[in-house]
Amino acid sequence: MMTFGQKLKALLKEKDMTQENLAELLDVSRQAVGKWANDKGIPEVDKLVQISNIFGVSLDYLLKEGQEEEREGTSTGYYVSKEMIEGFLSYKQQSAGRIAAGVVLITLSDLVDCFLSPGRISILLYNAVFLSGIAILIWNGLKPRKYREIGSRQLLFDEGVIREFREKSERNRRKYAVMFIAGTALMLFGPELADLVSNRFGRWMGNAADQIFLASWSGLFILAGMNLYAENMLLRGTPKTRRGGKYTWLYGAIPVTALLVLIGYVTNAWRPAMPILVLFCVLLVTVCKLIVEGRNKIEN
C-alpha cells in the first residue's frame, strides 16, 4: 500500500525534480513539501489540483492509498488557476526583460566609440558592455524552463478566470500595439532623426543617437513580442502538435542570433547589430500575426 507521501516521492523521482523545485512551482516552502513527502500532512485542495496537473495524475490516485495504478489518461486537460496564469506571465516577462537587456547592451556598446577616443580604456569599456549583453542572453538561455505543461497540454480554466484574463489581455494588446507602433517609427525614422542630430551637434552625437534609436526599438519589439506570445499561449489553450507550434522557432532564434552577433564581433565579418536587425524584421511580421490571432480568440 502506497501512502500520499510515498507517491509524491515516486513522482518527484520520475520527473527528476527536487522538493525545492516542486515548492517553487506551488509557491510554498520546501518544508511544507517535506512534510507532505513524509506523510506529516496533506496539501490543501488547490495545491492537490496543481500537483495532479504537474505530474499528470488523478486526484484519486494521489489521495487513495493503494497499489500503483495506471495513471496515463486520467486527466482530460491541465487546470490553470488564476495564480498560475499570473506566475506564468511573470516568468515570461522576466525572460523578455533579460533578453531585451542583453540586446540593448550589445547595441549600446557602440556608444563607447562615440564619446571616447580610441585607446585601451575605450576598448575595455566596449568589451565589457558588449560581453555583458552576450552573458545575459546566455544566462537566460541556461535558466531552467518552467510551466512546460502550458505549452504542451490542453488547458482548462474557470469561466470567471478566463473571462477576466481575456479582458486584461485585450487591454494589454493595446499597450503592445503602441509599443510596436513606437518601435516601428523609431526603426523607420531613426536614421533620419540621427542625421538631423548629426547636422546640428556633430557626427559623433549623430552616431550616438542612431545607436540609441536602434536599442530603443529593439527593446520595444522584444518586450511587446514575447509578452504577446505568452498571452497567446494561454488564449489558445491547446497543446502543441508533435512537431511543435507555429512559433516555437522563436526559442531557437534568440540563441542563434546571439551566436551570429558574437561571430560578427570576433571575426568582423559583419556588423554585430546586423543579425539583430534581421531577427526583428521577421519578429515584426510574426507579432502582427499574433495580434490578429489573439483578437480572433478573444472575440470567440
Side-chain angles (χ1 to χ4, degrees), residues 122-156:
S122 64
I123 293 175
L124 289 174
L125 185 57
Y126 172 84
N127 288 337
V129 176
F130 184 91
L131 294 177
S132 294
I134 292 291
I136 291 175
L137 293 178
I138 295 175
W139 173 49
N140 184 75
L142 294 177
K143 290 184 71 67
R145 289 182 59 186
K146 302 179 181 179
Y147 302 99
R148 294 187 180 184
E149 292 81 5
I150 288 180
S152 61
R153 296 177 60 183
Q154 179 75 37
L155 305 182
L156 302 176

Side-chain angles (χ1 to χ4, degrees), residues 198-230:
S198 180
N199 293 333
R200 182 74 179 270
F201 300 103
R203 181 168 61 89
W204 298 112
M205 290 299 296
N207 291 340
D210 188 41
Q211 293 303 314
I212 292 173
F213 292 144
L214 174 59
S216 298
W217 67 255
S218 298
L220 287 171
F221 277 8
I222 291 174
L223 293 174
M226 293 191 67
N227 288 326
L228 183 61
Y229 177 67

Side-chain angles (χ1 to χ4, degrees), residues 254-273:
I254 298 298
V256 169
T257 301
L259 179 61
L260 291 175
V261 169
L262 186 59
I263 292 174
Y265 167 75
V266 174
T267 65
N268 207 26
W270 52 73
R271 288 186 61 192

Side-chain angles (χ1 to χ4, degrees), residues 150-222:
I150 288 180
S152 61
R153 296 177 60 183
Q154 179 75 37
L155 305 182
L156 302 176
F157 304 90
D158 290 333
E159 185 62 32
V161 171
I162 191 60
R163 186 188 306 114
E164 180 182 349
F165 173 66
R166 283 173 175 166
E167 293 173 354
K168 183 177 180 181
S169 180
E170 179 62 22
R171 294 193 297 269
N172 287 340
R173 283 169 191 278
R174 298 190 187 99
K175 179 179 68 175
Y176 300 147
V178 170
M179 293 171 67
F180 254 102
I181 292 172
T184 303
L186 287 173
M187 181 177 66
L188 295 177
F189 303 112
E192 300 297 330
L193 293 174
D195 286 341
L196 292 176
V197 173
S198 180
N199 293 333
R200 182 74 179 270
F201 300 103
R203 181 168 61 89
W204 298 112
M205 290 299 296
N207 291 340
D210 188 41
Q211 293 303 314
I212 292 173
F213 292 144
L214 174 59
S216 298
W217 67 255
S218 298
L220 287 171
F221 277 8
I222 291 174

Side-chain angles (χ1 to χ4, degrees), residues 234-275:
L234 291 168
L235 287 171
R236 187 170 64 245
T238 55
K240 300 175 184 176
T241 63
R242 176 174 292 186
R243 297 179 59 186
K246 291 186 294 184
Y247 305 110
T248 52
W249 60 269
L250 287 170
Y251 290 109
I254 298 298
V256 169
T257 301
L259 179 61
L260 291 175
V261 169
L262 186 59
I263 292 174
Y265 167 75
V266 174
T267 65
N268 207 26
W270 52 73
R271 288 186 61 192
M274 287 305 297

